């Protein structure tokens, strides 16, 4: 409860700070929303022209796209501090975090909360609601619960990617663009069900990076192509993926040596 109360307090402070420049905040929020909507419109133009891709309809792809984008938006909003972790080490700001009595993960999490990034989450929710309506899933509470679980799994997966990036920052200060490939790039790749990219890609994003566990396998359950319970529960793999990522970050933290600046 202590951490939860502090989290809401810090979040309120961050929101108040960002709202000091209301026009800039709402412009950034709107731009995030429009970028996400433009991505969905591009996908809809393609599928309206060709009808389906790999036997998946527009509604199926919209479910995939909205789940992946929503999960990424939540991870990016609340784990944004790890996205900028390199600057904390270079500037020496991490030292001030380590001498505070609370968990350093908590301090990094709240150090860069960016609420305007929720613009893409808002548009993703709208697309998800539209896809659910078109697919007739409102009367299926179990399938709706699986969709919510997919979002949680996607958010856990992308949070783990940010933690892996932050871990590597302990050992190298060079710009590592792989985090953009595995976040923005994978979000674009996730517009369509992972199964359409072939067995090799599906295996990689199942065994090595379990994004398909939050995006593809539970989708098969939601649309009724595979009703085995294991498909509905597959996002657990993404939550499990997050745990060693946290452990690796703490391992990197144990190797950290202050510059003394």
């Amino acid at each position: 409860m202590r951490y939860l109360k502090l989290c809401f307090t810090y979040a309120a402070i961050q929101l108040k700070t960002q709202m000091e420049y209301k026009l800039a905040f709402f412009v950034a929020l709107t731009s995030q929303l429009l970028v996400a909507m433009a991505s969905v419109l591009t996908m809809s133009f393609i599928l309206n022209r060709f009808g389906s891709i790999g036997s998946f309809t527009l509604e199926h792809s919209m479910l995939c796209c909205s789940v992946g984008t929503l999960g990424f938006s939540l991870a990016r909003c609340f784990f944004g501090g790890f996205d900028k972790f390199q600057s904390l080490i270079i500037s020496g700001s991490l030292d001030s975090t380590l001498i505070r009595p609370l968990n350093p993960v908590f301090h990094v999490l709240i150090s860069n909360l960016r609420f305007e990034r929720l613009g893409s989450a808002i548009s993703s929710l709208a697309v998800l609601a539209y896809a659910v309506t078109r697919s007739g899933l409102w009367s299926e509470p179990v399938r709706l619960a699986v969709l919510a679980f997919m979002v949680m799994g996607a958010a856990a997966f992308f949070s783990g990617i940010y933690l892996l990036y932050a871990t590597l920052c302990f050992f190298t200060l060079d710009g590592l663009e792989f985090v953009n490939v595995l976040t923005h790039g994978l979000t674009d790749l996730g517009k369509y069900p992972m199964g359409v990219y072939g067995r090799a890609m599906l295996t990689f994003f199942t065994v090595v990076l379990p994004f398909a566990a939050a995006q593809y396998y539970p989708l098969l359950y939601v649309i009724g192509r595979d009703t085995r319970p294991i498909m509905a529960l597959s996002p657990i793999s993404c939550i499990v993926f997050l745990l060693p990522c946290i452990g690796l970050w703490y391992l990197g933290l144990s190797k950290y040596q202050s510059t003394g600046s």
Side-chain angles (χ1 to χ4, degrees), residues 59-60 63 128-147 150 218-219 221-224:
E59 289 75 19
H60 299 157
L63 287 173
L128 182 60
Y130 176 79
V132 166
T133 302
R134 288 286 301 269
S135 302
L137 296 175
W138 286 118
S139 59
E140 302 283 347
V142 174
R143 300 183 192 277
L144 290 176
V146 173
L147 281 173
M150 290 169 67
L219 175 71
Y221 181 90
V222 169
I223 64 178

Side-chain angles (χ1 to χ4, degrees), residues 62-79:
M62 291 179 77
L63 287 173
C64 277
C65 181
S66 56
V67 163
T69 306
L70 181 55
F72 172 60
S73 300
L74 294 175
R76 190 176 178 219
C77 177
F78 296 104
F79 273 72

Side-chain angles (χ1 to χ4, degrees), residues 13 15 28 43 67 86 90 101 103 106 113 135 149 186 196 200 206 208 211 229 239 246:
I13 293 172
L15 181 60
M43 178 189 67
V67 163
Q86 176 180 324
I90 295 175
N103 192 300
F106 173 80
L113 287 175
S135 302
F149 197 29
L186 193 52
V196 305
T206 300
V208 182
F211 180 63
I239 299 173
I246 296 174

Side-chain angles (χ1 to χ4, degrees), residues 53-250:
I53 179 169
S55 77
F56 292 97
T57 65
L58 174 61
E59 289 75 19
H60 299 157
S61 295
M62 291 179 77
L63 287 173
C64 277
C65 181
S66 56
V67 163
T69 306
L70 181 55
F72 172 60
S73 300
L74 294 175
R76 190 176 178 219
C77 177
F78 296 104
F79 273 72
F82 289 99
D83 187 20
K84 303 296 183 181
F85 193 71
Q86 176 180 324
S87 62
L88 294 180
I89 296 179
I90 295 175
S91 65
S93 300
L94 183 61
D95 295 359
S96 62
T97 296
L98 297 178
I99 62 175
R100 292 171 183 169
L102 294 178
N103 192 300
V105 172
F106 173 80
H107 282 289
V108 177
L109 281 176
I110 55 88
S111 66
N112 194 33
L113 287 175
R114 304 301 302 176
F115 289 97
E116 72 272 8
R117 292 173 176 174
L118 291 176
S120 58
I122 294 170
S123 62
S124 298
L125 277 174
V127 173
L128 182 60
Y130 176 79
V132 166
T133 302
R134 288 286 301 269
S135 302
L137 296 175
W138 286 118
S139 59
E140 302 283 347
V142 174
R143 300 183 192 277
L144 290 176
V146 173
L147 281 173
F149 197 29
M150 290 169 67
V151 174
M152 291 175 56
F157 171 80
F158 286 116
S159 299
I161 295 297
Y162 280 125
L163 281 166
L164 289 178
Y165 166 74
T167 300
L168 289 177
C169 289
F170 285 116
F171 305 99
T172 174
L173 295 180
D174 293 331
L176 299 173
E177 290 301 323
F178 90 95
V179 69
N180 292 324
V181 173
L182 294 180
T183 51
H184 295 86
L186 193 52
T187 303
D188 287 337
L189 197 68
K191 291 178 185 177
Y192 308 101
M194 297 300 297
V196 305
Y197 297 112
R199 183 173 296 276
M201 288 283 286
L202 182 60
T203 301
F204 179 81
F205 286 110
T206 300
V207 178
V208 182
L209 297 174
F211 180 63
Q215 190 251 25
Y216 178 67
Y217 299 112
L219 175 71
L220 298 180
Y221 181 90
V222 169
I223 64 178
R225 293 192 181 181
D226 193 330
T227 57
R228 290 178 294 171
I230 192 173
M231 292 297 184
L233 297 175
S234 60
I236 293 176
S237 300
C238 295
I239 299 173
V240 173
F241 170 76
L242 178 60
L243 299 179
C245 294
I246 296 174
L248 287 172
W249 187 83
Y250 275 108

